[in-house]
Amino acid sequence: MATSLHNLSQYDITTIPDASNMCFGIVVAEWNEDITGALLDGAVKTLEKHGALPENIHIKTVPGSFELIYGAHQMVLHGGYDAVIILGSVIRGETPHFDYICQGVTAGIARLNTTSEIPIIYGLLTTNDLQQALDRCGGKYGNKGDECAIDAIKMAKF
């Protein structure tokens, strides 16, 4: 989680395993594409920085954040991945839609993590406004995509 005390893109590089023999699936929501595209860019660059080959990073898109659950499940069933990363962005609006989507995605990914043979990394930004999302997709708090890539590498070696 990004706070004034923690930047999402900062980590101890010496603690990261080599990812050159790993394969990753990434499911990214098209909704809030400027945000999710920046998250995706951060995740891919960080995976490659730690040795993942571009041909071993498979990206699928889904229309919105709720569909990340289905996309991740399909990757788990059919992909042969060492880890799957989900990337999405839900920004609070004037209706309870925000709460339903955030709760649903969180519960769905948690369920997949307890029933799957591989880790699914939770990269859903849940922010109150656009600025908070921008701050967390490459802004002043770093990039959640970087953090998710590091988590995926570490959990694949768990």
Side-chain angles (χ1 to χ4, degrees):
M1 180 169 81
T3 68
S4 61
L5 302 176
H6 178 77
N7 185 298
L8 297 163
S9 298
Q10 292 177 343
Y11 56 91
D12 181 356
I13 197 166
T14 65
T15 66
I16 312 305
D18 176 35
S20 60
N21 291 322
M22 296 181 186
C23 188
F24 299 95
I26 303 175
V27 185
V28 59
E30 295 170 339
W31 193 260
N32 293 326
E33 189 172 19
D34 291 345
I35 304 300
T36 62
L39 295 172
L40 177 62
D41 186 55
V44 169
K45 285 179 180 175
T46 300
L47 291 171
E48 290 176 349
K49 176 180 176 179
H50 293 283
L53 302 173
E55 60 266 25
N56 289 337
I57 302 170
H58 303 161
I59 301 162
K60 296 285 187 179
T61 60
V62 294
S65 291
F66 199 78
E67 291 79 23
L68 291 166
I69 304 163
Y70 178 83
H73 188 234
Q74 291 304 305
M75 283 193 151
V76 168
L77 291 176
H78 304 293
Y81 301 107
D82 294 292
V84 172
I85 300 168
I86 63 118
L87 299 172
S89 172
V90 184
I91 300 170
R92 187 178 300 278
E94 297 176 359
T95 68
H97 180 261
F98 173 89
D99 297 314
Y100 299 132
I101 296 299
C102 295
Q103 290 172 4
V105 175
T106 301
I109 296 302
R111 187 181 70 254
L112 283 176
N113 262 313
T114 62
T115 60
S116 298
E117 297 296 318
I118 63 168
I120 295 95
I121 307 303
Y122 183 86
L124 181 68
L125 289 181
T126 56
T127 59
N128 288 318
D129 56 47
L130 177 60
Q131 188 59 55
Q132 288 179 342
L134 292 169
D135 289 344
R136 290 157 177 79
C137 73
K140 70 179 181 179
Y141 294 127
N143 190 319
K144 182 74 172 171
D146 295 343
E147 181 186 57
C148 289
I150 296 302
D151 291 350
I153 295 167
K154 287 182 172 183
M155 290 306 295
K157 286 288 189 182
F158 185 77

